[in-house]
Amino acid sequence: MPVTCPNGHQSESTDYCDTCGAVIGGAAPDPTTGPAAGDTAKVPAVAAPTCPNCGAPREPDEAFCEVCGLDFATGQLPVAPAGGPDPAAAGAAAPPTGEDTGWVAVVSADHAYFESNQAESPDASVTFPTDAAVREVPLMSSEIQIGRRSDSKGIFPEIDLSEPPSDPGVSRRHAALRRQPDGEWVVVDHGSTNGTVVRSAVSAIKPGDAVRLHDGDHLHVGAWTRITLRKVGTAT
Amino acid sequence: MNFSASTYQNEFLPSDATEVHAVVTVTATNGEATAATSPEKAVVLIVDTSGSMGQPSTKIRAARQALAASVEELPDGTWFAVISGSHEAMCVYPPTYATGEPPSLVRADAMSRAEAGAVARQLRPEGGTAIGTWLDMARDVFAGHPEAIKLAYLLTDGRNESEPHRNLEAALQRCTGVFQCDARGVGSDWNVSELRLITSTLLGEVDIIADPDEMDDDFRAFLERALGKAVADVRLRIWAPQGSTIKFVRQVAPTIDDLTAKATPVNPLTGDFPTGAWAGDESRDYHVCVNVPVGKVGDEKLAARVSLVVGDQPVSQALVKAIWTDDHALTARISPQVAHYTGQAELASAIHEGLEARKQGDNDTATVRLGRAVQLAHESGNEGTVKLLQKVVEVDDPATGTVRLKRGVAAVDEMALDTRSTRTVRVTAKPAAPADPATPAPGPEA
């Protein structure tokens, strides 16, 4: 016997609507908003915290809005809010969508750093790449992700350290560079497995803390990767 | 015969995600399959008898021997035929051509086995190679047995050079859905993509027989598989919601085969994907990817209903779901099966691109892609592919994919790698996959 789904479709299937896939007879409120259905979405009973600027859902412990980049502590927006870094759509190989910030990240393999790590905790399975080229990644938006690309997980970091020489010590979502209102940058570690070290400090930065970077400052991630920030232009 | 289907996925999606991935494992188990209920089986053995099979003559001698031995062992009641293929096709057994009757199958019994064995031992190598005509002949031979499980085995040592390529394509179109066909290339003068086109279209497997001595075993193995099939024409029926698109449907184990283009629409939201005949103890994995309209946080919706259809009867189903949430701990998880098979698919394409680049003389690209292939094969425990890769590259470090191209690689080694690049392994029960979080590297205390 056909049943009616929350979006008003007649469905032969009684578990999920055989037109729009909505749950049928589920106890939970189900604000389905398939474009296929001109429906009246119910608002979830418990309002999730949202960004006061753009309304995007936010995590209670987040320092910045993931969509518009608003700094929740200061209430300031990044200088040039990018069109919204879309982690699902912005492929590593895709052309940069944002504007040229006038900064580049220089990515290189640092043998001295690798050696000091090996001295601290030797791991024979990791070998230093002998043929690593130095890469320059222009910082084309106000948020630059550092990590390892994963198609299956939908992770496409701008600074993709899965590219040869793939650094095995870098987490998929490792850290981010975020542009500040004054045009300078901070680095925030996402809670990576092996941490992020700024300016060759003795210990890694605390996950979630925004640490200032100035022109010429460098940071280390993974087994050997060194990332140096350089101001190259005079972008606004 | 029973089928079961189960889904492996992370159904939790971040708020802006629309792409849903799932691996569906389909397993067949022998319920009360009896001789009475299982359909008739029909096999057609197609052997290349072009002139090149006599150069060297070890090829034709091995083919005669393997063919004769296998027909002589066919169980009573199996329907079969033998086709000799050159620039034209001839059904040499049963010899209906002698009486002017249309080509057909014959039932295996003491007499037909002995006669077919004798005919096989007399095959002579002469003429060219027009594989399209061989396939058309097989289709004619199978024509009288629409209900049987119909499997062909095609053996060639050369390229399809006696007919335009479009003839082969047209023949394949006529044969699609009529019978399944495995293909074997002997030596290294055949074309991998030509045979892969045949087996991909006709739901079979392609392989290389590098040494004619391996032919005997390969024929036997084919017959064993063929006779073990218990159900014909099993299809995956996939429904996806209005407004969504099925991005791909891929068999991912035991081999990779893209089924996306083979869909037959059932209704506007449902398509059937052919999987051919199944044995009573088979298990295959499928990777399904659907783009669904974006939902709101808190939404749950069915992203795909994957049913297994035998005849027109759904026998089992698996559900692929999508639940949108803003809980990163949930969305960041990845299904190990999806990750694994995404890697295996990348492995196959890395090998393909690496070998292609090598052919074009682009050694840099070849080194990078084959290095990536070594890394992926190593990570996933695909030892068979690691071994094949080692014949083509020197592996300095499998973990990072650091390789050097070998000089003077034997053509058969390169073709074996090409042919078998689509073989996958299943998810191993390794305690910790190094995917995420990253492998603990020597690093400062976090």
Side-chain angles (χ1 to χ4, degrees), chain B residues 182-196:
Chain B
D182 277 7
R184 298 291 182 270
V186 183
S188 60
D189 295 328
W190 52 284
N191 183 323
V192 178
S193 55
E194 228 161 56
L195 293 198
R196 195 184 291 290

Side-chain angles (χ1 to χ4, degrees), chain A residues 14-56:
Chain A
T14 52
D15 49 356
Y16 293 89
C17 171
D18 58 22
T19 298
C20 68
V23 183
I24 291 174
D30 183 55
T32 306
T33 54
D39 54 30
T40 52
K42 282 178 279 178
V43 178
V46 181
T50 54
C51 169
N53 181 46
C54 71

Side-chain angles (χ1 to χ4, degrees), chain A residues 9 13 15-23 29-36 41-42 44 48 57 59 62 66 86-87 113 117-118 120-121 123 125-127 150-153 164 166 168-172 192-195 197 202 204 222-223, chain B residues 14-17 19 21 239-243 269 293-303 305 317 319 321 326-328 331-334 338-339 342 368 372 375 379 397 399-400 402 434-446:
Chain A
H9 301 119
S13 315
D15 49 356
Y16 293 89
C17 171
D18 58 22
T19 298
C20 68
V23 183
D30 183 55
T32 306
T33 54
K42 282 178 279 178
E59 293 287 293
E62 267 175 350
E66 293 219 314
D86 179 0
Y113 182 72
N117 280 335
Q118 284 287 9
E120 224 172 279
S121 49
D123 182 348
S125 74
V126 181
T127 50
S150 166
D151 291 12
S152 50
K153 294 177 78 169
S166 176
V170 174
S171 295
R172 294 273 178 214
S192 64
T193 306
N194 295 310
V197 177
V202 182
Chain B
S15 57
D16 54 354
E19 198 167 285
H21 289 264
W239 170 93
Q242 203 170 66
L269 301 180
V294 70
K296 279 226 304 265
V297 168
D299 280 1
E300 172 179 349
K301 136 192 292 211
L302 190 64
R305 188 188 296 273
Q317 71 164 7
L319 302 181
K321 297 176 193 172
D326 52 8
D327 183 342
H328 294 315
T331 57
R333 268 193 245 140
I334 180 162
V338 171
T342 304
V368 170
R372 177 67 179 147
Q375 188 182 29
E379 270 176 11
D397 181 12
T400 57
T402 313
D436 200 22
T439 40
E445 299 297 315

